[in-house]
Amino acid sequence: MLKKIAGLLVVVAILILTVVPLQARAEMEYRFWDKDTIFKDFAWGKTDIVEAIDFELYVGYPDATLKLWNNITRAEFAAVLARAADVSGEPGPKWYDGAVNGLIAAGVIPDKSGDWDAPITRLEAAKWLGRLARAFNIPVKDPNEYFTDTQDPEATYARQTGMMYGVDAEKKLLGADELMNRGQAIVILLRVAKNINVDLPSDEEIIQAFKEAIEDVKANITYMVQTKKPDSSAYDKILPYKRVTRAYFEGAQKAMMAGFERGARTSANIEARNVRVVEKHKGIAYVVAEGVNLDLQISRPTVSRLRKIDGRWMMTQGAGNKENDIYYINEWRKMLGMTPLF
């Protein structure tokens, strides 16, 4: 049964790299030297962390590390929170000004006071999340929830809406005075993105972006088949729509190169059939389709992730959370009148 599941859980990147082993593909797509900490130290949130990375809500450090145990600063948390909420404001001299100004305008952050390079406490993060829940009309899940180490109304509201959980569920401790680390912040990012359901895009808008992303994928395959040489600068030259992110583009090139070295075959003669939007929010969406490689005669359900970036829906890294993919593939099958697989 597990082998059957593994064979079904594929995304567009797998379709075009058919002979590349699944394990090697995962190695390529996470691209972080310390990715094992996700599963060893942050097992409690591994599903959400991987999913947030797939949506490129968190991109890590320039040295290809995640550093999940590192504290996250107020500026950094504002930046990633703005990304997850799809808000932006007036840019300024500081790299974080656009994010902070956007969150202030949205009513999430009260003002610009304080040291933005200082680590953010869990209490302040909870206050921001409580205001965010109000600003974006996120519904209360349990009005009886509370924290025992703070009575702050915004922090309490963050808990009641499910935007913020504590460090000790039994004692209902927020850990108010503790500093938030990056692993905790990443889990919150996905939670935020999946709970903002205002200003929803139409299915047609997302599907059109998906179809254009497929044309970019095909252009990238054709380029790599011809050159056998990864080139990040080719992004601006060869993609007709630029609907895949640079991270997706570069990751696919590296994965194809690894496949070529193993003797893999690939083809740009691909189609996406029965395209459906199975879940959408303000800034992220899941699209499932029947991915068909006409030359290699392979047909499989594919799960793709799109995120709204600077006003444009873009296909993000093609990794995919295998456990979640089962759910989305089954939802897609229901839409088509088919019975769930598992």
Side-chain angles (χ1 to χ4, degrees), residues 20 85 101 111 119 330:
V20 178
N101 291 336
D111 54 54
N330 278 337

Side-chain angles (χ1 to χ4, degrees), residues 14 17 86 211 265 268 282 290 301:
I14 276 291
L17 301 170
D86 186 34
K211 290 179 177 179
R265 292 186 303 129
K282 181 175 185 284
E290 177 189 358

Side-chain angles (χ1 to χ4, degrees), residues 16 214-229 234 238-240 249 253 256 260 266-270 295:
I16 64 178
I214 294 300
E215 294 303 312
D216 287 339
V217 169
K218 292 164 67 174
N220 198 17
I221 298 170
T222 300
Y223 176 82
M224 286 299 295
V225 168
Q226 292 173 346
T227 66
K228 300 290 194 302
K229 183 179 180 181
I238 68 171
L239 299 188
F249 175 79
Q253 285 196 341
M256 277 187 274
F260 295 148
T266 188
S267 164
N269 191 13
I270 60 177
D295 288 340

